[in-house]
């Protein structure tokens, strides 16, 4: 103990150790010895980082854990190939180039030429490799930077295609969709983690719309939504199988609506005011004509709000009532409108009830920039978030708007572009 200095500089000691490892090629020597002895190989799959930005705490923490795993494997008598890699594909690179070149739509990339766009992306993918090497080396992580790989290397891409080809040949690949958080500004899906990074308080339109039953005149299902722009893509309605539903005559309009019994306050808000609401007031507002479980509504057909997808070979399976336990009575009417291209549960439920099928396209009139296509002519070329007023006006004109209000709520925004996210089916 007497030989220890009065004040030990840990940082300086670490730097000296790293310098000795470099000078003596300790890591390389260890790797060579493992190969000479014929040690059993230990394969470690390491997701490579993007080199378009500098390493941050997340990289440092994950890198340290990875180093612990591979060092332990070597100390256990294994040989572990540890090559540095760089992820050259995907959003971080493309988004930076889009900002630089003021690209806002996929058509601009095609006009520029994909070869030129790719060349511009390649020019920045290794921008910070030296800074990464310096930081990772200072951390004491052993990894081979001299024989690094890049995901844009033809050999790497060919290996990925080989894996996919092998999966395809084994019959393990089918074409389908996955509904994901989607940035219309970046034209790409995001992970659920990314979708949770940037919530903002916003005001959205909240509407209740009617879906007339085919079998019973002047009777309609009613559904509430805060995304009117999804209504042109409605393919079904969903109820809870065991929830109580009521057929209610609205005395003011003379129309009969079907909704969850516990959600009548959606139509008659005064029922939420315990001080003002008196049961005898119900006689002036409505008359309950029937009560039934959701299961008895399943299979009933209704008239769609719009006919954009009503006259297709697949439409014989559309526009009917389904059931699923994800439906709740804590908001809305207890009946959920289903647009499988824009809702994770919508897609799952419609798939389970054969409204849509695996391997088939689903109605999706919105492109990768969140703009309506020619499939919905009244709002063609409009961004979904700007199309709500036009669509609501059309719904009202068709006599299908039951209620219109606004909802203040927390909503996810793209953490890169700071624009509202949508949920969209991605092939």
């Amino acid at each position: 103990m007497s030989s220890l200095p009065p004040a030990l500089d840990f940082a300086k000691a670490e730097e000296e150790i790293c310098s000795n490892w470099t000078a003596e090629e300790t890591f390389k020597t260890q790797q060579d010895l493992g190969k000479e002895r014929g040690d059993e190989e230990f394969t470690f799959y390491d997701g490579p980082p993007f080199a378009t930005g500098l390493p941050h705490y997340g990289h440092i923490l994950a890198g340290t854990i990875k180093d612990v795993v591979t060092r332990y494997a070597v100390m256990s008598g294994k040989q572990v190939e540890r090559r540095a890699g760089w992820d050259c594909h995907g959003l971080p690179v493309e988004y930076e180039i889009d900002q630089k070149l003021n690209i806002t739509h996929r058509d601009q990339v095609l006009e520029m030429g994909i070869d030129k766009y790719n060349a511009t992306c390649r020019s920045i993918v290794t921008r910070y490799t030296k800074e990464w090497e310096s930081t990772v080396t200072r951390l004491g992580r052993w990894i081979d930077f001299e024989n690094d790989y890049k995901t844009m290397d033809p050999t790497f891409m060919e290996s990925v295609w080989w894996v996919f080809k092998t999966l395809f040949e084994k019959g393990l690949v089918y074409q389908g969709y996955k509904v994901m958080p989607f940035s219309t500004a970046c034209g790409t899906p995001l992970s659920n983690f990314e979708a949770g990074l940037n919530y903002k308080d916003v005001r959205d339109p909240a509407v209740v719309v009617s879906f007339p039953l085919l079998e019973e005149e002047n009777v309609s299902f009613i559904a509430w939504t805060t995304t009117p722009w999804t209504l042109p893509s409605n393919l079904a309605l969903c109820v809870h199988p065991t929830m109580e539903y009521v057929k209610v005559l609205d005395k003011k309009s003379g129309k009969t609506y079907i909704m969850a019994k516990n959600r009548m306050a959606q139509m008659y808000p005064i029922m939420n005011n315990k001080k003002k609401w008196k049961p005898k007031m119900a006689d002036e507002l409505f008359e309950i004509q029937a009560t039934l479980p959701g299961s008895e509504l399943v299979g009933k057909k209704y008239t769609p709000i719009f006919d954009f997808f009503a006259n297709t070979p697949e439409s014989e399976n559309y526009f009917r009532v389904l059931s699923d336990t994800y439906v709740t009575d804590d908001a809305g009417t207890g009946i959920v409108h289903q647009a499988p291209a824009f809702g994770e549960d919508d897609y799952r439920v419609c798939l389970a009830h054969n409204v849509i099928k695996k391997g088939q396209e689903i109605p999706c009139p919105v492109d990768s920039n969140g703009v309506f296509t020619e499939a919905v002519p009244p709002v063609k070329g409009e961004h979904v978030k700007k199309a709500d007023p036009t669509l609501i006006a059309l719904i009202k004109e068709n006599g299908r708007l039951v209620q219109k209000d606004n909802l203040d709520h927390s909503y996810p925004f793209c953490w890169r572009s700071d624009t509202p996210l949508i949920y969209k089916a991605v092939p």
Side-chain angles (χ1 to χ4, degrees), residues 8 13 21 47 56 64 74 82 97 105 132 148 152 175 194 211 217 239 263 303 335 343 364 370 373 386 399 410 422:
L8 184 61
W21 283 345
H56 54 66
T64 302
V74 172
R82 286 164 278 179
I97 294 303
H105 198 278
W132 271 85
D148 62 354
M152 66 180 179
Q175 185 172 0
E194 289 176 302
F211 300 82
E217 191 176 351
V239 298
R263 290 306 307 158
T303 304
I335 299 176
C364 182
T373 66
K386 294 182 180 178
S410 187
I422 64 173

Side-chain angles (χ1 to χ4, degrees), residues 100-120:
K100 178 181 177 181
L101 302 179
N102 196 29
I103 290 174
T104 58
H105 198 278
R106 179 174 177 270
D107 290 344
Q108 291 172 271
V109 176
L110 298 177
E111 185 179 337
M112 175 184 179
I114 293 177
D115 55 339
K116 294 184 178 65
Y117 183 80
N118 282 347
T120 309

Side-chain angles (χ1 to χ4, degrees), residues 65-251:
I65 295 171
K66 292 170 183 178
D67 193 47
V68 169
V69 172
T70 52
R71 281 177 182 267
Y72 178 79
V74 172
M75 293 164 65
S76 301
K78 308 285 198 308
Q79 58 168 307
V80 187
E81 184 178 26
R82 286 164 278 179
R83 292 172 60 197
W86 309 107
D87 191 342
C88 308
H89 292 78
L91 186 57
V93 178
E94 294 172 8
Y95 182 69
E96 190 163 337
I97 294 303
D98 289 350
Q99 294 292 98
K100 178 181 177 181
L101 302 179
N102 196 29
I103 290 174
T104 58
H105 198 278
R106 179 174 177 270
D107 290 344
Q108 291 172 271
V109 176
L110 298 177
E111 185 179 337
M112 175 184 179
I114 293 177
D115 55 339
K116 294 184 178 65
Y117 183 80
N118 282 347
T120 309
C121 289
R122 285 192 192 96
S123 69
I124 69 166
V125 293
T126 58
R127 179 189 295 165
Y128 294 115
T129 53
K130 290 299 178 185
E131 287 82 354
W132 271 85
E133 183 174 355
S134 174
T135 300
V136 171
T137 301
R138 173 62 184 84
L139 288 169
R141 183 180 180 186
W142 282 1
I143 193 165
D144 186 357
F145 282 99
E146 290 184 10
N147 299 301
D148 62 354
Y149 71 91
K150 303 174 184 65
T151 61
M152 66 180 179
D153 293 339
T155 51
F156 181 89
M157 291 189 286
E158 286 167 1
S159 72
V160 174
W161 279 110
W162 174 84
V163 170
F164 185 81
K165 169 178 170 287
T166 304
L167 291 172
F168 180 81
E169 290 174 345
K170 290 182 177 181
L172 300 174
V173 177
Y174 69 90
Q175 185 172 0
Y177 292 87
K178 184 174 177 61
V179 178
M180 301 180 69
F182 199 91
S183 170
T184 59
C186 299
T188 188
L190 303 182
S191 68
N192 286 322
F193 172 77
E194 289 176 302
L197 292 176
N198 186 20
Y199 268 80
K200 295 176 182 288
D201 291 331
V202 299
R203 172 167 289 186
D204 278 324
V207 297
V208 175
V209 294
S210 64
F211 300 82
L213 270 75
L214 291 183
E215 66 183 49
E216 201 168 349
E217 191 176 351
N218 204 37
V219 178
S220 299
F221 296 104
I222 55 174
W224 175 82
T225 181
T226 58
T227 54
W229 62 268
T230 63
L231 289 170
S233 305
N234 169 267
L235 300 188
L237 296 174
C238 191
V239 298
H240 192 290
T242 61
M243 194 182 293
E244 265 196 321
Y245 289 82
V246 288
K247 185 188 289 186
V248 177
L249 171 64
D250 178 54
K251 293 189 174 180

Side-chain angles (χ1 to χ4, degrees), residues 25-69:
E25 297 186 322
T26 311
F27 172 50
K28 183 178 182 302
T29 302
Q30 183 194 70
Q31 296 292 83
D32 292 342
L33 287 172
K35 291 176 182 177
E36 288 175 12
R37 291 192 301 262
D39 293 343
E40 179 187 352
E41 288 188 8
F42 178 87
T43 302
F44 184 78
Y45 294 104
D46 184 1
F50 290 94
T52 49
L54 296 170
H56 54 66
Y57 171 77
H59 297 117
I60 292 170
L61 175 62
T64 302
I65 295 171
K66 292 170 183 178
D67 193 47
V68 169
V69 172

